[in-house]
Every structure is written in C-alpha cells, then in structure tokens.
Amino acid sequence: MDQTLIAGLGNIYTDEVCFCAKVLPTRIANTLKEKEMKKIHKCIPQILKFAISKKGTSANNYVRTDGTRGGMVPYLKVYGREGEKCRRKGCKGIIKKIKVNARGTHFCSVCQK
Ligand SMILES: [Zn+2]
C-alpha cells in the first residue's frame, strides 16, 4: 500500500478525505480494499478543489488578522468537530478524536469503517 498517497495532504484534508470516502483514518496506512482506494482517489481532488475555492483552511492561524475565521473552517465535516454531530445525511454519529502517531485525527465511528 502506497503511504505517500496522502502523505502530502495535511491533517485536516486527510480527515476530510477519509470522511468523504467513509474510511477510518486509522486504516489508511494498512488495510484498504481496492474499492475503498478508488473512493479515496475520487475524494482527494473533490476536497482539494473545494478547499482551494474556499481559499484553504487557516487552522494554523485559525482567526485571520481581521478576526474572521478561515475560509473553509465552517465547512469542515470532521476536523475540529470533536463531540459534535456527524454532518452526513442520515447519520447519527458523534465525531470522535483520537491520536494517531501523535497527531489528532477526527472521524465518525458510525459511517466510517
Ligand atoms: Zn457519520
């Protein structure tokens, strides 16, 4: 399995892509099925295009100098939403946060497998 696939993506986008593909972020490095890989490949450009259209996520400097929040932050589905309701239609999950390799990762344990 090619770990470089999403290595270039930041934490935020990794979380969002995994949510989009309904895959647990903990599984990325090891046991993805071909069908799931295809979903991830489809989701990556979707998430990136959306991020670019919203001028990125300023989570590093969460609030801009003028006090407004980063462009994509309000649209994030899992990242930074620990304890909040899953935004997938029909899903009643709560977003969880765990640490993987010392990095925080966010996911819905109900709709992501
Ligand atoms: Zn969910």
Side-chain angles (χ1 to χ4, degrees), residues 37-92:
M37 284 295 300
K38 280 189 183 146
K39 258 196 239 164
I40 286 176
H41 275 287
K42 251 176 91 178
C43 283
I44 288 173
Q46 272 178 33
I47 300 285
L48 290 183
K49 248 187 238 163
F50 183 71
I52 290 162
S53 77
K54 297 290 173 202
K55 297 198 172 70
T57 315
S58 56
N60 291 334
N61 44 337
Y62 198 77
V63 177
R64 293 192 193 116
T65 46
D66 63 0
T68 59
R69 291 172 69 169
M72 198 181 164
V73 168
Y75 303 96
L76 294 175
K77 300 216 165 63
V78 282
Y79 187 88
R81 301 193 62 243
E82 183 186 10
E84 291 177 45
K85 280 184 195 151
C86 175
R87 284 186 171 158
R88 198 187 304 277
K89 243 187 173 175
C91 179
K92 297 208 158 61

Short mmCIF file of all heavy atoms in Angstrom, two decimals, residues 37-92:
data_model
loop_
_atom_site.label_atom_id
_atom_site.label_comp_id
_atom_site.label_asym_id
_atom_site.label_seq_id
_atom_site.Cartn_x
_atom_site.Cartn_y
_atom_site.Cartn_z
N MET A 37 -9.91 2.31 -1.89
CA MET A 37 -8.85 3.11 -2.51
C MET A 37 -9.43 3.98 -3.62
O MET A 37 -9.09 5.15 -3.75
CB MET A 37 -7.79 2.19 -3.13
CG MET A 37 -6.87 1.54 -2.14
SD MET A 37 -5.85 2.73 -1.28
CE MET A 37 -4.99 3.46 -2.66
N LYS A 38 -10.31 3.39 -4.41
CA LYS A 38 -10.93 4.14 -5.51
C LYS A 38 -11.73 5.31 -4.98
O LYS A 38 -11.73 6.40 -5.54
CB LYS A 38 -11.82 3.22 -6.35
CG LYS A 38 -10.99 2.39 -7.32
CD LYS A 38 -11.86 1.65 -8.30
CE LYS A 38 -10.98 0.78 -9.21
NZ LYS A 38 -11.63 -0.47 -9.58
N LYS A 39 -12.44 5.08 -3.88
CA LYS A 39 -13.24 6.15 -3.27
C LYS A 39 -12.32 7.28 -2.81
O LYS A 39 -12.61 8.45 -3.00
CB LYS A 39 -14.02 5.60 -2.08
CG LYS A 39 -15.49 5.35 -2.40
CD LYS A 39 -16.26 5.20 -1.11
CE LYS A 39 -16.95 3.87 -1.02
NZ LYS A 39 -17.40 3.53 0.33
N ILE A 40 -11.22 6.90 -2.18
CA ILE A 40 -10.27 7.90 -1.70
C ILE A 40 -9.71 8.70 -2.88
O ILE A 40 -9.64 9.92 -2.82
CB ILE A 40 -9.14 7.24 -0.88
CG1 ILE A 40 -9.70 6.82 0.48
CG2 ILE A 40 -7.95 8.18 -0.70
CD1 ILE A 40 -8.75 6.08 1.37
N HIS A 41 -9.38 8.00 -3.93
CA HIS A 41 -8.86 8.70 -5.12
C HIS A 41 -9.87 9.68 -5.68
O HIS A 41 -9.51 10.71 -6.25
CB HIS A 41 -8.45 7.67 -6.18
CG HIS A 41 -7.07 7.15 -5.98
ND1 HIS A 41 -5.96 7.90 -6.23
CD2 HIS A 41 -6.62 5.97 -5.52
CE1 HIS A 41 -4.89 7.19 -5.94
NE2 HIS A 41 -5.25 6.02 -5.50
N LYS A 42 -11.14 9.34 -5.55
CA LYS A 42 -12.18 10.25 -6.03
C LYS A 42 -12.35 11.44 -5.08
O LYS A 42 -12.64 12.54 -5.50
CB LYS A 42 -13.53 9.49 -6.13
CG LYS A 42 -13.96 9.25 -7.56
CD LYS A 42 -15.21 8.42 -7.61
CE LYS A 42 -16.48 9.25 -7.60
NZ LYS A 42 -17.68 8.40 -7.71
N CYS A 43 -12.20 11.17 -3.81
CA CYS A 43 -12.45 12.20 -2.80
C CYS A 43 -11.33 13.24 -2.71
O CYS A 43 -11.61 14.41 -2.45
CB CYS A 43 -12.65 11.56 -1.42
SG CYS A 43 -14.27 10.81 -1.22
N ILE A 44 -10.10 12.83 -2.94
CA ILE A 44 -8.98 13.76 -2.78
C ILE A 44 -9.15 15.02 -3.65
O ILE A 44 -9.13 16.13 -3.11
CB ILE A 44 -7.62 13.06 -3.03
CG1 ILE A 44 -7.32 12.12 -1.85
CG2 ILE A 44 -6.48 14.08 -3.19
CD1 ILE A 44 -6.09 11.25 -2.04
N PRO A 45 -9.33 14.88 -4.97
CA PRO A 45 -9.49 16.11 -5.77
C PRO A 45 -10.73 16.89 -5.39
O PRO A 45 -10.72 18.14 -5.45
CB PRO A 45 -9.58 15.59 -7.21
CG PRO A 45 -9.77 14.12 -7.13
CD PRO A 45 -9.30 13.67 -5.79
N GLN A 46 -11.79 16.19 -4.98
CA GLN A 46 -13.02 16.90 -4.54
C GLN A 46 -12.73 17.81 -3.37
O GLN A 46 -13.11 18.98 -3.35
CB GLN A 46 -14.08 15.89 -4.09
CG GLN A 46 -14.98 15.37 -5.19
CD GLN A 46 -15.96 14.34 -4.64
OE1 GLN A 46 -16.41 14.43 -3.49
NE2 GLN A 46 -16.29 13.36 -5.45
N ILE A 47 -12.07 17.26 -2.36
CA ILE A 47 -11.79 18.01 -1.14
C ILE A 47 -10.82 19.16 -1.45
O ILE A 47 -11.00 20.28 -1.00
CB ILE A 47 -11.18 17.09 -0.05
CG1 ILE A 47 -12.15 15.97 0.30
CG2 ILE A 47 -10.77 17.89 1.18
CD1 ILE A 47 -13.32 16.32 1.15
N LEU A 48 -9.79 18.85 -2.25
CA LEU A 48 -8.80 19.88 -2.56
C LEU A 48 -9.40 21.01 -3.38
O LEU A 48 -9.14 22.18 -3.11
CB LEU A 48 -7.59 19.27 -3.28
CG LEU A 48 -6.71 18.38 -2.41
CD1 LEU A 48 -5.51 17.89 -3.20
CD2 LEU A 48 -6.25 19.10 -1.15
N LYS A 49 -10.21 20.65 -4.35
CA LYS A 49 -10.85 21.69 -5.18
C LYS A 49 -11.70 22.59 -4.31
O LYS A 49 -11.70 23.80 -4.44
CB LYS A 49 -11.74 21.02 -6.24
CG LYS A 49 -11.18 21.21 -7.66
CD LYS A 49 -12.17 20.71 -8.67
CE LYS A 49 -11.55 19.62 -9.54
NZ LYS A 49 -12.55 18.82 -10.28
N PHE A 50 -12.45 21.95 -3.41
CA PHE A 50 -13.32 22.71 -2.52
C PHE A 50 -12.48 23.62 -1.62
O PHE A 50 -12.81 24.80 -1.43
CB PHE A 50 -14.16 21.75 -1.68
CG PHE A 50 -15.13 22.45 -0.78
CD1 PHE A 50 -16.23 23.08 -1.32
CD2 PHE A 50 -14.94 22.46 0.59
CE1 PHE A 50 -17.14 23.74 -0.49
CE2 PHE A 50 -15.85 23.12 1.42
CZ PHE A 50 -16.94 23.75 0.87
N ALA A 51 -11.39 23.07 -1.12
CA ALA A 51 -10.53 23.85 -0.23
C ALA A 51 -9.96 25.07 -0.96
O ALA A 51 -9.91 26.18 -0.41
CB ALA A 51 -9.38 22.98 0.29
N ILE A 52 -9.55 24.84 -2.20
CA ILE A 52 -8.99 25.95 -2.97
C ILE A 52 -10.05 27.01 -3.23
O ILE A 52 -9.80 28.20 -3.10
CB ILE A 52 -8.37 25.43 -4.29
CG1 ILE A 52 -7.11 24.63 -3.96
CG2 ILE A 52 -8.05 26.58 -5.24
CD1 ILE A 52 -6.63 23.72 -5.08
N SER A 53 -11.27 26.55 -3.54
CA SER A 53 -12.34 27.51 -3.81
C SER A 53 -12.68 28.33 -2.57
O SER A 53 -13.18 29.44 -2.66
CB SER A 53 -13.59 26.79 -4.33
OG SER A 53 -14.27 26.16 -3.26
N LYS A 54 -12.38 27.76 -1.39
CA LYS A 54 -12.65 28.49 -0.15
C LYS A 54 -11.38 29.14 0.39
O LYS A 54 -11.30 29.54 1.54
CB LYS A 54 -13.21 27.54 0.92
CG LYS A 54 -14.53 26.92 0.57
CD LYS A 54 -15.65 27.93 0.58
CE LYS A 54 -16.93 27.30 0.05
NZ LYS A 54 -17.90 28.28 -0.44
N LYS A 55 -10.35 29.13 -0.46
CA LYS A 55 -9.06 29.71 -0.10
C LYS A 55 -8.43 29.06 1.13
O LYS A 55 -7.87 29.73 2.00
CB LYS A 55 -9.17 31.22 0.11
CG LYS A 55 -9.57 31.96 -1.16
CD LYS A 55 -9.25 33.44 -1.06
CE LYS A 55 -9.47 34.15 -2.39
NZ LYS A 55 -10.91 34.26 -2.75
N GLY A 56 -8.54 27.74 1.20
CA GLY A 56 -7.81 27.00 2.22
C GLY A 56 -8.41 27.08 3.62
O GLY A 56 -9.40 27.74 3.85
N THR A 57 -7.75 26.39 4.49
CA THR A 57 -8.20 26.34 5.87
C THR A 57 -7.14 27.04 6.71
O THR A 57 -6.02 26.60 6.75
CB THR A 57 -8.28 24.88 6.35
OG1 THR A 57 -8.90 24.13 5.34
CG2 THR A 57 -9.05 24.77 7.63
N SER A 58 -7.49 28.09 7.35
CA SER A 58 -6.47 28.74 8.16
C SER A 58 -6.55 28.24 9.58
O SER A 58 -6.74 28.99 10.51
CB SER A 58 -6.61 30.26 8.09
OG SER A 58 -7.89 30.64 8.49
N ALA A 59 -6.41 26.93 9.74
CA ALA A 59 -6.50 26.35 11.08
C ALA A 59 -5.23 26.65 11.87
O ALA A 59 -5.25 26.71 13.09
CB ALA A 59 -6.73 24.85 11.00
N ASN A 60 -4.13 26.81 11.16
CA ASN A 60 -2.88 27.13 11.85
C ASN A 60 -2.98 28.52 12.49
O ASN A 60 -2.62 28.71 13.64
CB ASN A 60 -1.69 27.10 10.89
CG ASN A 60 -1.40 25.67 10.44
OD1 ASN A 60 -1.71 24.72 11.15
ND2 ASN A 60 -0.84 25.54 9.27
N ASN A 61 -3.46 29.44 11.71
CA ASN A 61 -3.81 30.74 12.29
C ASN A 61 -5.32 30.86 12.16
O ASN A 61 -5.85 31.48 11.25
CB ASN A 61 -3.08 31.90 11.61
CG ASN A 61 -3.09 31.76 10.11
OD1 ASN A 61 -3.25 30.68 9.56
ND2 ASN A 61 -2.96 32.87 9.44
N TYR A 62 -5.96 30.18 13.06
CA TYR A 62 -7.40 29.91 12.99
C TYR A 62 -8.23 31.15 12.70
O TYR A 62 -9.22 31.12 11.99
CB TYR A 62 -7.84 29.30 14.34
CG TYR A 62 -9.16 28.59 14.29
CD1 TYR A 62 -9.26 27.32 13.73
CD2 TYR A 62 -10.31 29.18 14.80
CE1 TYR A 62 -10.46 26.65 13.68
CE2 TYR A 62 -11.51 28.52 14.76
CZ TYR A 62 -11.59 27.26 14.21
OH TYR A 62 -12.78 26.60 14.17
N VAL A 63 -7.79 32.25 13.25
CA VAL A 63 -8.52 33.51 13.03
C VAL A 63 -7.60 34.45 12.25
O VAL A 63 -6.43 34.59 12.56
CB VAL A 63 -8.91 34.15 14.38
CG1 VAL A 63 -9.59 35.50 14.17
CG2 VAL A 63 -9.80 33.21 15.17
N ARG A 64 -8.12 35.05 11.21
CA ARG A 64 -7.31 35.98 10.43
C ARG A 64 -7.10 37.28 11.21
O ARG A 64 -7.77 37.53 12.22
CB ARG A 64 -8.03 36.31 9.11
CG ARG A 64 -8.11 35.12 8.18
CD ARG A 64 -8.55 35.59 6.80
NE ARG A 64 -8.94 34.46 5.96
CZ ARG A 64 -10.17 34.29 5.50
NH1 ARG A 64 -11.11 35.17 5.76
NH2 ARG A 64 -10.44 33.26 4.76
N THR A 65 -6.20 38.09 10.69
CA THR A 65 -5.88 39.34 11.40
C THR A 65 -7.11 40.23 11.54
O THR A 65 -7.22 41.00 12.49
CB THR A 65 -4.76 40.12 10.67
OG1 THR A 65 -5.06 40.15 9.28
CG2 THR A 65 -3.41 39.47 10.89
N ASP A 66 -8.05 40.11 10.59
CA ASP A 66 -9.25 40.94 10.69
C ASP A 66 -10.32 40.27 11.56
O ASP A 66 -11.44 40.76 11.67
CB ASP A 66 -9.80 41.28 9.30
CG ASP A 66 -10.23 40.03 8.54
OD1 ASP A 66 -10.11 38.92 9.09
OD2 ASP A 66 -10.71 40.17 7.40
N GLY A 67 -9.98 39.13 12.16
CA GLY A 67 -10.90 38.49 13.10
C GLY A 67 -11.85 37.48 12.48
O GLY A 67 -12.55 36.77 13.19
N THR A 68 -11.87 37.38 11.13
CA THR A 68 -12.76 36.40 10.52
C THR A 68 -12.13 35.02 10.55
O THR A 68 -10.91 34.89 10.62
CB THR A 68 -13.08 36.77 9.05
OG1 THR A 68 -11.84 36.82 8.33
CG2 THR A 68 -13.78 38.11 8.97
N ARG A 69 -12.94 34.01 10.48
CA ARG A 69 -12.44 32.64 10.52
C ARG A 69 -11.97 32.21 9.14
O ARG A 69 -12.41 32.74 8.14
CB ARG A 69 -13.54 31.71 11.02
CG ARG A 69 -13.85 31.94 12.48
CD ARG A 69 -15.06 31.16 12.90
NE ARG A 69 -14.76 29.73 12.89
CZ ARG A 69 -15.57 28.83 13.41
NH1 ARG A 69 -16.70 29.19 13.94
NH2 ARG A 69 -15.26 27.56 13.39
N GLY A 70 -11.07 31.26 9.13
CA GLY A 70 -10.52 30.74 7.87
C GLY A 70 -11.61 30.28 6.92
O GLY A 70 -12.63 29.76 7.35
N GLY A 71 -11.37 30.46 5.64
CA GLY A 71 -12.36 30.21 4.60
C GLY A 71 -13.09 28.89 4.68
O GLY A 71 -14.30 28.83 4.53
N MET A 72 -12.37 27.81 4.91
CA MET A 72 -13.01 26.51 4.82
C MET A 72 -13.49 25.99 6.17
O MET A 72 -14.27 25.04 6.23
CB MET A 72 -12.01 25.52 4.21
CG MET A 72 -12.66 24.27 3.66
SD MET A 72 -11.42 23.14 2.99
CE MET A 72 -12.38 21.63 2.88
N VAL A 73 -13.02 26.60 7.24
CA VAL A 73 -13.31 26.08 8.57
C VAL A 73 -14.80 25.79 8.82
O VAL A 73 -15.14 24.72 9.31
CB VAL A 73 -12.72 27.00 9.67
CG1 VAL A 73 -13.25 26.65 11.04
CG2 VAL A 73 -11.20 26.90 9.67
N PRO A 74 -15.69 26.71 8.46
CA PRO A 74 -17.11 26.42 8.73
C PRO A 74 -17.65 25.23 7.93
O PRO A 74 -18.72 24.72 8.24
CB PRO A 74 -17.83 27.70 8.30
CG PRO A 74 -16.78 28.74 8.18
CD PRO A 74 -15.50 28.02 7.85
N TYR A 75 -16.93 24.81 6.89
CA TYR A 75 -17.43 23.75 6.03
C TYR A 75 -16.81 22.40 6.34
O TYR A 75 -17.17 21.39 5.74
CB TYR A 75 -17.14 24.09 4.56
CG TYR A 75 -17.72 25.40 4.15
CD1 TYR A 75 -16.95 26.56 4.17
CD2 TYR A 75 -19.06 25.49 3.76
CE1 TYR A 75 -17.49 27.78 3.80
CE2 TYR A 75 -19.61 26.72 3.41
CZ TYR A 75 -18.82 27.86 3.43
OH TYR A 75 -19.36 29.05 3.08
N LEU A 76 -15.87 22.36 7.25
CA LEU A 76 -15.22 21.10 7.58
C LEU A 76 -16.23 20.14 8.18
O LEU A 76 -17.07 20.52 8.98
CB LEU A 76 -14.05 21.33 8.54
CG LEU A 76 -12.88 22.13 7.96
CD1 LEU A 76 -11.84 22.40 9.04
CD2 LEU A 76 -12.24 21.42 6.78
N LYS A 77 -16.12 18.86 7.78
CA LYS A 77 -17.12 17.89 8.24
C LYS A 77 -16.68 17.16 9.49
O LYS A 77 -17.51 16.76 10.30
CB LYS A 77 -17.41 16.90 7.12
CG LYS A 77 -17.95 17.61 5.89
CD LYS A 77 -18.99 16.77 5.21
CE LYS A 77 -19.80 17.57 4.21
NZ LYS A 77 -18.97 18.08 3.12
N VAL A 78 -15.40 16.95 9.65
CA VAL A 78 -14.95 16.24 10.83
C VAL A 78 -13.86 16.98 11.62
O VAL A 78 -13.87 16.99 12.84
CB VAL A 78 -14.44 14.80 10.51
CG1 VAL A 78 -15.60 13.85 10.31
CG2 VAL A 78 -13.52 14.78 9.31
N TYR A 79 -12.94 17.58 10.89
CA TYR A 79 -11.79 18.19 11.56
C TYR A 79 -12.23 19.29 12.54
O TYR A 79 -13.01 20.18 12.19
CB TYR A 79 -10.82 18.79 10.53
CG TYR A 79 -9.54 19.27 11.18
CD1 TYR A 79 -8.46 18.40 11.35
CD2 TYR A 79 -9.43 20.57 11.65
CE1 TYR A 79 -7.31 18.81 11.96
CE2 TYR A 79 -8.27 21.00 12.28
CZ TYR A 79 -7.21 20.12 12.43
OH TYR A 79 -6.08 20.54 13.05
N GLY A 80 -11.75 19.19 13.77
CA GLY A 80 -12.06 20.20 14.77
C GLY A 80 -13.49 20.12 15.30
O GLY A 80 -13.95 21.02 16.00
N ARG A 81 -14.20 19.03 14.99
CA ARG A 81 -15.61 18.94 15.39
C ARG A 81 -15.83 17.86 16.45
O ARG A 81 -16.93 17.33 16.59
CB ARG A 81 -16.48 18.67 14.17
CG ARG A 81 -16.37 19.77 13.11
CD ARG A 81 -17.46 19.66 12.05
NE ARG A 81 -18.77 19.83 12.64
CZ ARG A 81 -19.73 18.90 12.67
NH1 ARG A 81 -19.51 17.72 12.14
NH2 ARG A 81 -20.88 19.15 13.23
N GLU A 82 -14.84 17.54 17.22
CA GLU A 82 -14.94 16.52 18.26
C GLU A 82 -16.17 16.75 19.14
O GLU A 82 -16.40 17.87 19.61
CB GLU A 82 -13.69 16.55 19.13
CG GLU A 82 -13.64 15.48 20.19
CD GLU A 82 -12.44 15.68 21.10
OE1 GLU A 82 -11.78 16.73 21.03
OE2 GLU A 82 -12.18 14.77 21.91
N GLY A 83 -16.95 15.69 19.33
CA GLY A 83 -18.12 15.78 20.20
C GLY A 83 -19.36 16.34 19.53
O GLY A 83 -20.44 16.37 20.11
N GLU A 84 -19.20 16.81 18.27
CA GLU A 84 -20.36 17.36 17.56
C GLU A 84 -20.99 16.29 16.68
O GLU A 84 -20.40 15.25 16.41
CB GLU A 84 -19.92 18.56 16.72
CG GLU A 84 -19.53 19.75 17.58
CD GLU A 84 -19.02 20.92 16.73
OE1 GLU A 84 -19.66 21.24 15.72
OE2 GLU A 84 -17.98 21.48 17.10
N LYS A 85 -22.21 16.57 16.21
CA LYS A 85 -22.92 15.58 15.40
C LYS A 85 -22.32 15.44 14.01
O LYS A 85 -21.90 16.43 13.41
CB LYS A 85 -24.39 16.01 15.26
CG LYS A 85 -25.21 15.67 16.47
CD LYS A 85 -26.67 16.04 16.23
CE LYS A 85 -27.43 16.06 17.55
NZ LYS A 85 -28.55 17.00 17.53
N CYS A 86 -22.32 14.22 13.52
CA CYS A 86 -21.85 13.94 12.16
C CYS A 86 -22.72 14.69 11.17
O CYS A 86 -23.94 14.77 11.33
CB CYS A 86 -21.94 12.44 11.91
SG CYS A 86 -21.52 11.97 10.23
N ARG A 87 -22.08 15.22 10.12
CA ARG A 87 -22.84 16.01 9.14
C ARG A 87 -23.33 15.19 7.96
O ARG A 87 -23.94 15.72 7.05
CB ARG A 87 -21.97 17.17 8.64
CG ARG A 87 -21.88 18.28 9.65
CD ARG A 87 -21.17 19.48 9.11
NE ARG A 87 -21.30 20.59 10.05
CZ ARG A 87 -20.47 21.62 10.10
NH1 ARG A 87 -19.48 21.71 9.25
NH2 ARG A 87 -20.66 22.58 10.97
N ARG A 88 -23.06 13.88 7.96
CA ARG A 88 -23.56 13.08 6.85
C ARG A 88 -25.04 12.85 7.03
O ARG A 88 -25.51 12.53 8.12
CB ARG A 88 -22.82 11.75 6.76
CG ARG A 88 -23.01 11.09 5.40
CD ARG A 88 -22.42 9.71 5.35
NE ARG A 88 -21.02 9.64 5.69
CZ ARG A 88 -20.01 9.88 4.83
NH1 ARG A 88 -20.25 10.23 3.60
NH2 ARG A 88 -18.75 9.77 5.23
N LYS A 89 -25.76 13.01 5.93
CA LYS A 89 -27.21 12.86 5.96
C LYS A 89 -27.60 11.50 6.51
O LYS A 89 -27.10 10.48 6.04
CB LYS A 89 -27.76 12.99 4.52
CG LYS A 89 -28.68 14.16 4.33
CD LYS A 89 -29.29 14.09 2.95
CE LYS A 89 -30.36 15.17 2.82
NZ LYS A 89 -30.88 15.21 1.44
N GLY A 90 -28.48 11.46 7.47
CA GLY A 90 -28.98 10.20 7.98
C GLY A 90 -28.09 9.53 9.00
O GLY A 90 -28.44 8.51 9.56
N CYS A 91 -26.93 10.11 9.25
CA CYS A 91 -26.02 9.51 10.24
C CYS A 91 -26.21 10.21 11.58
O CYS A 91 -26.29 11.42 11.65
CB CYS A 91 -24.57 9.63 9.78
SG CYS A 91 -23.41 8.94 10.99
N LYS A 92 -26.28 9.41 12.65
CA LYS A 92 -26.49 9.99 13.98
C LYS A 92 -25.22 9.91 14.82
O LYS A 92 -25.25 10.00 16.04
CB LYS A 92 -27.65 9.28 14.68
CG LYS A 92 -28.96 9.47 13.94
CD LYS A 92 -30.14 9.40 14.88
CE LYS A 92 -31.37 10.08 14.31
NZ LYS A 92 -31.84 9.48 13.06
#
